[in-house]
Amino acid sequence: MDKKYLSVSSLVMMIFLGVFGFGNIANNFKEVGMSSATMLVIGIFFYFLPLCLIMAEFGAYAKDRTSGIYSWIEIGLGKKMAYFAIWSYFIANIFYLPTLATRVPTYLSFGLFGDANMSNSETALLSLVALVISLVIGVKYQKAIGALSKPVGYISLFTVLIFLVAGIYLHLTGGSATELTVDMFTIDVASKTELAKALGSFSWILFAFGGGEVVGPYVNQVKEPEKNFVRGLLIASLLIGALYVIGIISVSAFGTQEDFSKISLINAVLAGFKFMGDKIGLGIWFVKLMGLAYTLITLVALILWSTSLAAGVFSEAPEGTFPDWLTKKSKDTGILINALVFQTILAFLFIALTIFGGEAAGELYYRVYDMTTMALIVPYFCLGISYVFFRKKGVKSPFQISKNNTISMLAGVSVSSMTFIAFIFAGYNFTVPLIQQMEKIKLYYGGLLMFMLIGISIKYLSEKSHKAKENRNK
């Protein structure tokens, strides 16, 4: 029986679902305005595109490995650095899964009622249903996730294109809510205060490009990955980059920056479509239709993130890195069932804590969530550095960004430089006295340090337990 391969279009749609977020468009416009489009262009050329090319070269070289980002970092920096990078990745994303799960009932509420009307109990129950569906598909139908992502990715792309076309049309016909001028796209760095503000905004905008690595564990399911995996990443990076930039321009047609400042992060997606519906005369049915579409889109994104996270963190971790039961694979399918169950339980516990734990518990969770923010930067920084060492060693991959090592290594330097900028300026403002920023600094940087120490402890205890087990079996 011939092996079924992931097509390039399936790969593109998986990356699209993993990275692209309409909420990033609405929220960047809300927080920064039209200059966020310029920042996105800078982010595309100096961060996202080189990052995707790096992943493409690593994927072509390590096409038989199943962990993706862990294996790519381990190739250049070794197992120890790869562990700390992937531990950071796990910490950041284990708190992202509950966010995705709770968005499913929120969007479903828009689909059924035209607004967010779910009670706490209904949100918790439906979030659990979403997590269980994700678990079942991850355990029983993991090889079908690529096929599932393709049509749902096209639905997501279609909803975005509707918005973009309508927005551009309004701008061209003079019916937009925001009148565009060239000055709006200029990043103000005229003063020290404005420069600090711009660096902070740019740092947070870079977070919109995270997620392309979700396809890493699927590279061995791609036929001729040295061509098709590369093609998929390149097409996806250009598509996502273009849609982000055009999206900022389009969203301004339906509401001003002040209009969008009145809506929450979670509701930004459907609020944008509601603004669109009101502007061009569509009824509540349009918001409901978009609500149902985003219910499906978010559910599939949850499935994709959950399975990719388990594979990326636990599938190739050396013995003794984590408790043995977490890295145990099914003998028949090689699927990390225990890891998937563990992630699902953790995600639901976090949801239950915020919904039923009272105000203090909710505040604690969101504080811990904020503490994990900087953890997401670590693996991308390490990936850029890993690539520099990979090329410095003279290793040849079937696909290379450039045959010239210096030119190629500039891609790694660019990615690591951008992540370093994000690491510094997402949590630090050089125009404000240090003493006035200590709470924020302790939250972001102290939080990362705390989680790193937890990671060291887990690794130490796991290695100790594994060695004791080996000695008993001698």
Side-chain angles (χ1 to χ4, degrees), residues 207-233:
F207 283 80
F209 293 114
E213 71 286 344
V214 294
V215 296
Y218 299 92
V219 64
N220 62 343
Q221 295 181 31
V222 179
K223 189 175 183 179
E224 296 184 80
E226 63 276 7
K227 295 179 181 178
N228 294 323
F229 189 69
V230 171
R231 194 177 300 158
L233 276 161

Side-chain angles (χ1 to χ4, degrees), residues 413-456:
V413 171
S414 184
V415 167
S416 293
S417 297
M418 290 295 103
T419 52
F420 185 73
I421 288 171
F423 182 78
I424 298 298
F425 296 108
Y428 172 69
N429 185 327
F430 59 82
T431 65
V432 178
L434 190 62
I435 192 68
Q436 294 179 22
Q437 301 183 72
M438 285 311 296
E439 280 302 313
K440 192 176 181 181
I441 288 171
K442 284 191 288 186
L443 182 69
Y444 289 145
Y445 305 109
L448 177 60
L449 177 61
M450 183 189 77
F451 283 118
M452 288 295 99
L453 292 174
I454 291 173
I456 291 171

Side-chain angles (χ1 to χ4, degrees), residues 344-366:
T344 302
I345 292 171
L346 267 185
F348 183 68
L349 286 176
F350 292 149
I351 292 169
L353 179 69
T354 56
I355 292 177
F356 302 117
E359 187 176 339
E363 287 179 3
L364 174 62
Y365 171 80
Y366 287 115

Side-chain angles (χ1 to χ4, degrees), residues 342-411:
F342 175 67
Q343 287 179 177
T344 302
I345 292 171
L346 267 185
F348 183 68
L349 286 176
F350 292 149
I351 292 169
L353 179 69
T354 56
I355 292 177
F356 302 117
E359 187 176 339
E363 287 179 3
L364 174 62
Y365 171 80
Y366 287 115
R367 187 171 180 82
V368 173
Y369 182 86
D370 286 339
M371 289 169 71
T372 66
T373 303
M374 293 301 175
L376 187 59
I377 295 173
V378 176
Y380 298 118
F381 175 80
C382 290
L383 186 60
I385 298 297
S386 176
Y387 180 71
V388 171
F389 278 90
F390 172 73
R391 290 304 299 256
K392 196 174 180 180
K393 292 174 184 175
V395 182
K396 303 290 184 184
S397 173
F399 164 76
Q400 292 181 307
I401 295 175
S402 170
K403 293 190 183 298
N404 184 295
N405 274 1
T406 302
I407 293 173
S408 292
M409 286 192 286
L410 282 174

Side-chain angles (χ1 to χ4, degrees), residues 57-210:
E57 184 165 338
F58 271 131
Y61 176 75
K63 58 188 176 183
D64 296 322
R65 300 186 65 169
T66 58
S67 67
I69 194 167
Y70 171 85
S71 59
W72 302 336
I73 295 171
E74 187 265 334
I75 287 168
L77 297 180
K79 289 181 171 58
K80 288 184 179 179
M81 281 304 299
Y83 168 75
F84 289 113
I86 210 65
W87 169 250
S88 300
Y89 187 73
F90 178 74
I91 286 298
N93 285 296
I94 196 61
F95 285 91
Y96 180 57
L97 295 184
T99 303
L100 278 176
T102 53
R103 285 179 185 172
V104 173
T106 299
Y107 295 148
L108 181 60
S109 178
F110 273 100
L112 297 176
F113 312 115
D115 207 344
N117 287 323
M118 292 285 180
S119 67
N120 285 345
S121 298
E122 289 168 337
T123 298
L125 178 61
L126 290 172
S127 297
L128 177 60
V129 171
L131 286 167
V132 170
I133 291 172
S134 173
L135 176 63
V136 171
I137 292 176
V139 169
K140 291 196 170 185
Y141 308 104
Q142 195 168 119
K143 290 188 181 296
I145 290 174
L148 177 64
S149 298
K150 185 176 178 179
V152 177
Y154 281 134
I155 291 171
S156 179
L157 181 60
F158 180 68
T159 63
V160 175
L161 288 176
I162 291 174
F163 196 90
L164 266 55
V165 170
I168 297 299
Y169 173 78
L170 285 176
H171 277 302
L172 292 175
T173 56
S176 66
T178 306
E179 186 178 347
L180 297 181
T181 64
V182 175
D183 290 342
M184 287 181 174
F185 295 90
T186 303
I187 302 171
D188 189 355
V189 293
S191 67
K192 192 175 179 181
T193 302
E194 292 299 331
L195 175 60
K197 183 180 177 182
L199 285 170
S201 298
F202 177 69
S203 297
W204 286 105
I205 279 174
L206 287 181
F207 283 80
F209 293 114

